[in-house]
Amino acid sequence: EVQLVESGGGSVQAGESLRLSCTGSGFTLDDFDMGWYRQAPGNEYELVSTISSDGRTFYVDSVKGRFTISQDNAKNTVYLQMNSLKPEDTAVYYCAADKYAGRMARIRDLGPMPGKYDGNWWGQGTLVTVSS
């Protein structure tokens, strides 16, 4: 059974940094694409970033240059380093794993949500709050 557990969320001031971690079990990280979604209050889920098994990355325009996704296959863990945080980054952040290469980026405008697609798994989420 694929399981994902996020950690690292919290409350920070604008301009500060946080690093989110997501540890997976029941699968091998380098066989999957990994990603981070977020959902701000009253908004739909938004794909923030992905990393493929060959290291290719995707970032939504609003976080380019501020967020960095990485993974440690030995620890089966993916990270999201978030710098220069803004109040509009406030959201619940969800880690996701997808067995189909490139799919999360291709379907990002089709209303992604937990459980919508076979072969796509999400964690329970971690809250990030950025105050001005």
Side-chain angles (χ1 to χ4, degrees):
E1 179 187 4
V2 172
Q3 290 189 326
L4 301 166
V5 178
E6 303 98 335
S7 62
S11 296
V12 297
Q13 298 287 320
E16 294 184 341
S17 299
L18 280 174
R19 188 178 78 157
L20 305 183
S21 301
C22 169
T23 299
S25 60
F27 70 106
T28 301
L29 213 67
D30 57 6
D31 289 337
F32 284 65
D33 279 8
M34 300 298 297
W36 290 92
Y37 290 88
R38 66 186 179 186
Q39 186 180 36
N43 287 7
E44 296 183 344
Y45 294 98
E46 176 186 43
L47 180 64
V48 176
S49 181
T50 65
I51 185 167
S52 66
S53 57
D54 62 2
R56 288 175 294 171
T57 57
F58 163 85
Y59 296 96
V60 69
D61 285 347
S62 60
V63 308
K64 285 180 180 177
R66 300 189 298 122
F67 290 12
T68 303
I69 191 170
S70 62
Q71 63 185 49
D72 184 335
N73 290 340
K75 296 181 179 179
N76 231 39
T77 298
V78 63
Y79 304 97
L80 186 68
Q81 178 67 43
M82 305 186 296
N83 298 331
S84 302
L85 282 161
K86 304 176 181 180
E88 51 263 44
D89 295 317
T90 294
V92 178
Y93 284 72
Y94 299 87
C95 175
D98 198 295
K99 64 185 295 186
Y100 297 106
R103 180 168 68 169
M104 286 190 286
R106 288 196 303 272
I107 65 173
R108 65 188 183 274
D109 295 326
L110 300 180
M113 62 179 63
K116 183 173 182 178
Y117 296 98
D118 289 339
N120 179 263
W121 295 269
W122 294 42
Q124 293 301 304
T126 186
L127 177 62
V128 172
T129 303
V130 185
S131 56
S132 58

